Amino acid sequence: MACRLLLRRRLSAPAAAAAARLAVRHAHGELEVSGCSASIRELGRLGRVGEAREVFDALPRRDIIAWNSMISTYCQNGMPDAARALYDAISGGNMRTGAILLSGYGRLGRVLEARRVFDGMLERNTVAWNAMISCYVQNGDITMARRLFDAMPSRDVSSWNSMLTGYCHSLQMVDARNLFEKMPERNLVSWTVMISGYGRIENHGKAWDIFRKMHREGLLPDQSNFASVLSAVKGLGNLDVLESLRVLVLKTGFERDVVIGTAILNVYSRDTSALDTAIKFFESMIERNEYTWSTMIAALSHGGRIDAAIAVYERDPVKSIACRTALITGLAQCGRIDDARILFEQIPEPIVVSWNAMITGYMQNGMVNEAKQLFDKMPFRNTISWAGMIAGYAQNGRSEEALGLLQELHRSGMLPSLSSLTSIFFACSNIVALETGIQVHSLAVKVGCQFNSFACNALVTMYGKCRNMEYARQVFSRMVTKDTVSWNSFLAALVQNDLLDEARNTFDNMLNRDVVSWTTIISAYAQADQSNEAMGVFKTMFCEHELPNSPILTILLGVCGSLGASKIGQQIHTVAIKLGMDSELIVANALISMYFKCGCADSRRIFDLMEERDIFTWNTIITGYAQHGLGREAIKMYQHMESAGVLPNEVTFVGLLNACSHAGLVDEGWKFFKSMSQDYGLTPLPEHYACMVDLLGRTGNVQGAEQFIYDMPIEPDTVIWSALLGACKIHKNAEIGKRAAEKLFKIEPSNAGNYVMLSNIYSSLGMWGEVAEVRKIMKQQGVIKEPGCSWTQIKDKMHSFVTGDKQHEQIEEIVATLEELYTLLKATGYVPDTEFVLHDIDEEQKESSLLYHSEKLAVAYCLLVTPKGMPIQILKNLRICGDCHTFIKFVSHVTKRQINIRDGNRCTPCQIRAVGELNTRLEKVMVQVNEWMKTLTNDKYVSEFPLSLKILS
């Protein structure tokens, strides 16, 4: 009795209650040690380590079970150093004690310390050997696990299963299958591990085959085996298979088993289309446990039915902590963080899992400060608490604070978990903190995580972003197990460091590729302006029967927009329609942009059909209208945007100011420029100042534009001075034009366009001496003007023209057509603008010189060989001159043709030349695509976009 009173005096109230509830008294009223051991284990399971230690310290005598219970509690809660201190205090205890400590180190990835404990054990039984093998297995060192397995003096079925688990966890299913076939005996665990292994590599069909083979050999599934095969069935996504399995579940008497019932519910609930079936099954369950309720709550929350999830929670008679935690998570995920906090506050004694869920919820909603306040209030933190905070800081862009929290964790005497380390590597990547990353890498080695695949993947990513490919290669080459994520991490690192050839070799050598692999390499080629290679990879993807995702389609649409390759873009649009991705926000935004850049009217129709729009959608439509000189339409779109409650950003105002500039809307431009800061608190960027200079200059106020530059609070860049120079060209202001050009000559002396622009101003004013001086400066600087060249695609062939071209096979017919047009247009009011001729020659020669500009030759050829009324698209490497612009407007009016010319502002010669090759290549790709995708056809928008679909017919 005295001991019991002493114990209660020394315990906290909750610990005393637990001890009183769980302990068993002897006949003489003394507390039984085994009862206290059970109390210690229960408190440990609840994460209440301090109270467990109070019970342990209060014991008047301790047997080995009590010691092992306390050591196990420390290990379960991520405190192996405290466990080691107890282990040393009893000189290692028994073999069970060592196995517990080995498992504790293994769970935290501290393999080297586990091995030191193993090597120091005076006696080792099979359990200890198995624990050490499991330690290696858990941390991905399968080579060392196999060496230890081969060195075992004797093995039991658990030894075989541990090694089998290692192969399965490392996705080495060929080795796993070979070992499985060699096993002298197999139990249900062996079969279950194999089923789970195939599930890990998402070969759910193979997992199902293993289960069927097991069944044919006469083994009846147990609870764990059913749970594993149900996971495989979930991966198959075939509810018919689930129904057939449920027959076996019924025959074996597991239909009423709450664990299996919950697993079946989990299969139904993971398929959002089967959520109603899941609800029906849930309602039919005779018995439900806390995980059943929490599974249903989580499924409804994930399916966007948060109100239904709340209703299920209200029906739960127990409202366990697991259910409350599931609902906290669901509320946080749908943005109802205040409701989540209210529910959290209603938990009488929240366990560490509930605290962690609430902290994670705050982090998911970007409420980092609130998460930190809650973290500081936690009565006990486990490794998951620290890992959640560190990950939250890193993911919310507060990487320095993540590093600070790691230091705080280290000072507390705890070593970081694997999750904390991977988050820190991510944080170092965010801020390119190479030296700090190297130090944390050393800490990972100390902890024993250096071979773990998650840590290695994060390290490869970090070193890649920090541009240290030597270290990235070292980590990758030393990885014991490389999964698809590992290869993708290394591939991305190579791409980030502009090692495109090595990246392609790595991609080609990958045994297993996922959609991330394809996206990475296609994006790399697109960013490097290697459009042909990007399309080649796209072709290979289809040949290997891999479906593209929306980011890949978005990338390819961006390529098409940059090249002005409307036909290719239309075919990519068709692929998106057939895959049902055309309505996805990022794809629809990319389609609007592509069609605008290609001068097609489909952009507005896509915008009107969109069910969801974001700021990028509005910016794209406003900018598109601005680029096409439709200023009033751009402003109307902005007004619709305001009515929709969408706040503009800096890009919005660049589009608006451009729109005002092209439409000559000076007052509106000033209004928008002032509105940026006054109404929305946005600071104008150089792009906005350049737009204002362009606006003032285009409308004739060249002096005002120059003064605006001098009054700016920022240093003018090349874009701003170029805008002023362009205005001077329009309004023939040689004085200000010269000053602007001189600024540009200093900033970018090799840019031929600036010299040509100034020369144009002088020639338009007949200042031939100054023209000669500019040419002299160009010669001295070694600046060479690129010759004008235009391209147009007819069917699958790209035709190119240079000014004064004599090489084209139909040049005589082209010239005749052009001269006929020239005569016709002059009769309708066209007057050649000879100001754009840069040579001092007579007027007749000037007109002749203008007539044979490359874009005019290209237009004449298109009129010659294409059907009447067919739109014409021309690509040009340099900016189109004013006379050609006027000429082609007249041609468009007279011939009733839509003519779209993309000039040097929007594409380079190497990009233009790629278009013809791309079209030829894509035609072959699309034949394969059509054959393969016949079953995927979605005719949702056939009537809206007949042209897009006609290309593939």
Side-chain angles (χ1 to χ4, degrees):
M1 179 65 72
C3 287
R4 183 162 61 88
L5 292 173
L6 174 65
L7 178 64
R8 287 195 173 178
R9 279 197 302 271
R10 295 179 61 180
L11 291 180
S12 64
R21 183 171 63 253
L22 297 173
V24 179
R25 290 188 292 275
H26 278 302
H28 298 291
E30 292 184 356
L31 214 65
E32 187 180 321
V33 175
S34 63
C36 282
S37 297
S39 179
I40 290 167
R41 290 193 295 274
E42 175 66 9
L43 288 166
R45 186 185 70 81
L46 296 172
R48 292 155 66 173
V49 181
E51 295 169 41
R53 183 59 191 254
E54 289 180 38
V55 174
F56 178 77
D57 290 341
L59 282 170
R61 61 185 178 84
R62 308 181 186 108
D63 60 10
I64 192 62
I65 296 174
W67 285 93
N68 285 350
S69 297
M70 194 64 232
I71 290 171
S72 178
T73 291
Y74 279 134
C75 289
Q76 286 172 359
N77 287 276
M79 302 169 67
D81 295 329
R84 179 61 188 269
L86 292 184
Y87 176 84
D88 292 338
I90 53 171
S91 301
N94 59 11
M95 286 184 282
R96 171 67 180 157
T97 316
I100 293 170
L101 189 57
L102 289 174
S103 298
Y105 277 130
R107 276 195 294 270
L108 289 177
R110 295 166 66 173
V111 183
L112 296 180
E113 289 164 277
R115 186 56 191 256
R116 283 194 285 269
V117 171
F118 179 78
D119 291 339
M121 293 175 69
L122 299 176
E123 290 184 77
R124 304 188 196 104
N125 60 5
T126 306
V127 174
W129 283 87
N130 291 347
M132 192 63 230
I133 290 172
S134 295
C135 181
Y136 281 126
V137 163
Q138 288 170 2
N139 291 277
D141 195 345
I142 307 306
T143 302
M144 285 301 300
R146 185 58 193 253
R147 287 180 189 170
L148 207 63
F149 176 79
D150 292 337
M152 288 183 73
S154 63
R155 306 185 190 100
D156 59 13
V157 70
S158 295
S159 313
W160 288 88
N161 286 342
S162 295
M163 196 64 239
L164 191 65
T165 300
Y167 283 131
C168 290
H169 282 191
S170 63
L171 312 181
Q172 300 179 44
M173 290 309 298
V174 174
D175 294 323
R177 188 61 182 265
N178 291 336
L179 188 72
F180 180 76
E181 299 296 343
K182 292 177 183 177
M183 290 180 70
E185 64 170 313
R186 304 182 190 119
N187 59 13
L188 271 174
V189 173
S190 316
W191 292 94
T192 303
V193 169
M194 285 299 294
I195 292 168
S196 299
Y198 280 119
R200 280 174 173 267
I201 63 170
E202 298 187 3
N203 193 339
H204 304 297
K206 204 76 170 177
W208 178 245
D209 290 341
I210 288 286
F211 176 78
R212 292 171 63 197
K213 182 179 179 182
M214 180 197 84
H215 187 55
R216 285 196 299 270
E217 292 191 12
L219 273 77
L220 290 176
D222 63 2
Q223 189 186 78
S224 177
N225 189 266
F226 266 130
S228 294
V229 75
L230 281 165
S231 178
V233 172
K234 180 178 67 177
L236 283 173
N238 190 330
L239 295 182
D240 292 333
V241 175
L242 176 60
E243 296 304 327
S244 67
L245 185 62
R246 284 187 61 187
V247 174
L248 182 60
V249 169
L250 182 63
K251 287 182 178 180
T252 51
F254 279 96
E255 179 73 12
R256 294 172 178 264
D257 185 289
V258 67
V259 174
I260 299 306
T262 303
I264 292 171
L265 177 65
N266 198 26
V267 178
Y268 281 129
S269 62
R270 290 304 172 93
D271 185 349
T272 53
S273 64
L275 197 50
D276 291 330
T277 307
I279 295 169
K280 185 177 179 181
F281 179 80
F282 172 79
E283 297 297 347
S284 71
M285 292 178 69
I286 296 172
E287 182 184 356
R288 306 182 186 110
N289 60 15
E290 61 181 286
Y291 301 108
T292 315
W293 289 97
S294 61
T295 297
M296 196 67 246
I297 291 168
L300 290 167
S301 301
H302 183 71
R305 304 188 192 181
I306 190 64
D307 292 331
I310 294 170
V312 170
Y313 170 78
E314 294 295 342
R315 289 172 51 200
D316 179 10
V318 178
K319 292 183 176 54
S320 65
I321 292 178
C323 290
R324 294 181 191 228
T325 304
L327 188 54
I328 287 170
T329 301
L331 288 166
Q333 286 174 344
C334 72
R336 294 172 61 173
I337 192 69
D338 293 335
D339 293 337
R341 181 59 186 262
I342 291 170
L343 183 59
F344 174 77
E345 297 291 351
Q346 292 173 355
I347 302 176
E349 292 183 18
I351 60 174
V352 68
V353 175
S354 305
W355 287 88
N356 292 345
M358 193 65 234
I359 288 170
T360 302
Y362 276 132
M363 286 298 189
Q364 287 172 343
N365 285 272
M367 302 171 70
V368 181
N369 294 332
E370 289 81 356
K372 182 63 166 63
Q373 289 172 6
L374 199 64
F375 179 77
D376 292 338
K377 292 179 182 178
M378 288 184 75
F380 168 75
R381 301 169 187 152
N382 61 11
T383 53
I384 297 173
S385 315
W386 289 94
M389 279 299 298
I390 291 171
Y393 275 134
Q395 291 165 4
N396 282 281
R398 293 167 66 165
S399 299
E400 291 85 356
E401 289 168 90
L403 296 173
L405 200 60
L406 176 68
Q407 293 176 338
E408 185 180 336
L409 168 65
H410 201 47
R411 284 195 298 268
S412 71
M414 294 176 65
L415 285 174
S417 66
L418 174 62
S419 177
S420 295
L421 287 171
T422 54
S423 294
I424 286 297
F425 293 140
F426 176 69
C428 291
S429 300
N430 288 344
I431 58 175
V432 196
L434 177 60
E435 293 303 319
T436 303
I438 292 171
Q439 293 174 17
V440 180
H441 188 176
S442 300
L443 181 59
V445 174
K446 179 181 177 182
V447 171
C449 295
Q450 71 271 31
F451 296 115
N452 181 276
S453 60
F454 293 105
C456 289
N457 293 344
L459 278 167
V460 169
T461 299
M462 181 195 74
Y463 284 129
K465 287 189 176 180
C466 293
R467 297 198 167 272
N468 191 323
M469 281 308 299
E470 180 185 354
Y471 284 8
R473 286 191 186 92
Q474 287 179 13
V475 173
F476 183 73
S477 63
R478 292 173 184 173
M479 288 181 70
V480 178
T481 303
K482 298 185 181 82
D483 57 15
T484 306
V485 177
S486 311
W487 285 92
N488 285 343
S489 300
F490 187 59
L491 183 65
L494 291 167
V495 168
Q496 287 161 0
N497 286 271
D498 303 318
L499 299 169
L500 196 47
D501 290 340
E502 188 178 350
R504 182 56 187 266
N505 289 334
T506 300
F507 176 81
D508 290 339
N509 289 326
M510 290 177 69
L511 297 176
N512 295 300
R513 306 184 188 112
D514 61 12
V515 72
V516 176
S517 320
W518 294 97
T519 305
T520 302
I521 197 68
I522 289 172
S523 175
Y525 280 127
Q527 290 172 1
D529 288 333
Q530 296 189 32
S531 308
N532 222 345
E533 292 297 331
M535 200 61 70
V537 176
F538 183 58
K539 174 186 175 182
T540 305
M541 186 180 190
F542 271 110
C543 290
E544 295 186 14
H545 283 196
E546 291 284 345
L547 284 172
N549 59 4
S550 48
I552 287 177
L553 296 181
T554 301
I555 292 165
L556 294 173
L557 288 168
V559 168
C560 295
S562 298
L563 296 174
S566 59
K567 290 185 179 180
I568 304 176
Q570 287 167 340
Q571 297 192 67
I572 301 297
H573 186 180
T574 302
V575 173
I577 291 172
K578 289 193 172 187
L579 293 175
M581 294 179 183
D582 56 307
S583 59
E584 290 187 25
L585 187 59
I586 62 169
V587 176
N589 287 345
L591 283 167
I592 293 171
S593 178
M594 184 272 294
Y595 280 125
F596 259 130
K597 289 178 178 178
C598 294
C600 300
D602 281 340
S603 50
R604 180 56 191 264
R605 280 189 281 172
I606 292 167
F607 177 84
D608 289 338
L609 287 168
M610 289 176 71
E611 296 178 0
E612 179 188 2
R613 301 181 183 117
D614 61 6
I615 184 63
F616 301 104
T617 315
W618 292 100
N619 286 347
T620 302
I621 198 84
I622 290 169
T623 302
Y625 277 134
Q627 288 174 342
H628 286 271
L630 302 171
R632 295 288 183 188
E633 285 79 357
I635 292 173
K636 285 179 183 177
M637 272 296 163
Y638 174 69
Q639 291 167 347
H640 290 317
M641 175 182 166
E642 284 187 312
S643 300
V646 180
L647 290 176
N649 60 14
E650 290 87 350
V651 178
T652 315
F653 284 101
V654 170
L656 285 169
L657 293 173
N658 260 323
C660 293
S661 177
H662 286 296
L665 305 173
V666 179
D667 293 339
E668 289 85 348
W670 274 114
K671 175 186 170 185
F672 288 128
F673 184 75
K674 293 174 181 177
S675 175
M676 279 187 68
S677 53
Q678 293 175 1
D679 298 333
Y680 298 102
L682 299 173
T683 302
L685 301 174
E687 293 85 352
H688 301 105
Y689 287 106
C691 290
M692 286 304 297
V693 170
D694 191 54
L695 171 60
L696 295 171
R698 276 177 182 265
T699 53
N701 189 4
V702 180
Q703 290 180 333
E706 184 181 30
Q707 188 59 46
F708 180 83
I709 293 175
Y710 293 132
D711 293 340
M712 288 190 320
I714 63 169
E715 189 70 23
D717 60 8
T718 56
V719 179
I720 292 172
W721 288 117
S722 294
L724 181 61
L725 183 59
C728 292
K729 178 186 173 227
I730 294 171
H731 297 287
K732 304 177 186 178
N733 192 317
E735 181 184 352
I736 295 176
K738 181 181 179 182
R739 288 199 291 268
E742 287 172 348
K743 295 285 187 181
L744 288 167
F745 295 163
K746 290 179 182 178
I747 301 172
E748 42 182 18
S750 299
N751 187 341
N754 298 326
Y755 297 91
V756 173
M757 189 80 77
L758 181 60
S759 184
N760 280 340
I761 296 171
Y762 287 146
S763 64
S764 67
L765 294 169
M767 301 169 65
W768 301 111
E770 285 77 0
V771 170
E773 184 64 27
V774 172
R775 286 181 183 158
K776 179 181 177 182
I777 295 171
M778 289 179 69
K779 187 174 182 180
Q780 290 172 346
Q781 295 287 342
V783 178
I784 300 174
K785 178 183 179 294
E786 185 179 357
C789 185
S790 297
W791 289 260
T792 186
Q793 182 190 347
I794 306 298
K795 295 184 179 179
D796 295 334
K797 186 176 180 182
M798 188 64 73
H799 297 263
S800 62
F801 301 88
V802 294
T803 299
D805 201 332
K806 302 292 184 185
Q807 302 299 318
H808 195 277
E809 56 190 13
Q810 292 180 260
I811 191 62
E812 292 182 2
E813 297 170 75
I814 294 169
V815 170
T817 301
L818 191 56
E819 290 175 347
E820 183 182 341
L821 267 175
Y822 182 63
T823 303
L824 176 63
L825 296 184
K826 288 186 77 173
T828 60
Y830 162 67
V831 178
D833 189 348
T834 57
E835 290 179 356
F836 293 96
V837 177
L838 304 183
H839 300 278
D840 186 12
I841 53 180
D842 61 42
E843 284 299 310
E844 186 176 345
Q845 288 176 307
K846 287 181 180 180
E847 288 187 20
S848 178
S849 173
L850 287 173
L851 182 59
Y852 303 112
H853 278 192
S854 63
E855 54 266 55
K856 288 177 180 149
L857 293 170
V859 168
Y861 178 68
C862 289
L863 292 172
L864 189 64
V865 298
T866 60
K868 289 183 178 181
M870 182 176 178
I872 294 173
Q873 185 176 36
I874 308 293
L875 307 172
K876 188 168 190 256
N877 64 329
L878 301 177
R879 176 174 284 184
I880 186 171
C881 78
D883 177 70
C884 287
H885 188 268
T886 303
F887 179 88
I888 290 168
K889 283 205 296 186
F890 271 88
V891 172
S892 177
H893 176 71
V894 169
T895 61
K896 309 300 182 187
R897 297 268 199 135
Q898 178 186 337
I899 303 176
N900 178 257
I901 298 184
R902 290 172 56 84
D903 62 20
N905 281 335
R906 297 180 177 87
C907 51
T908 64
C910 62
Q911 290 175 321
I912 295 167
R913 284 189 289 270
V915 177
E917 299 174 36
L918 281 177
N919 272 297
T920 302
R921 170 169 277 180
L922 189 63
E923 287 294 334
K924 297 175 182 177
V925 175
M926 298 311 293
V927 170
Q928 298 168 326
V929 172
N930 273 329
E931 288 299 317
W932 181 47
M933 294 176 63
K934 281 178 180 176
T935 59
L936 300 175
T937 301
N938 179 352
D939 294 329
K940 179 180 177 184
Y941 292 133
V942 170
S943 59
E944 284 88 345
F945 298 103
L947 177 61
S948 301
L949 295 173
K950 187 174 69 177
I951 292 171
L952 300 181
S953 60

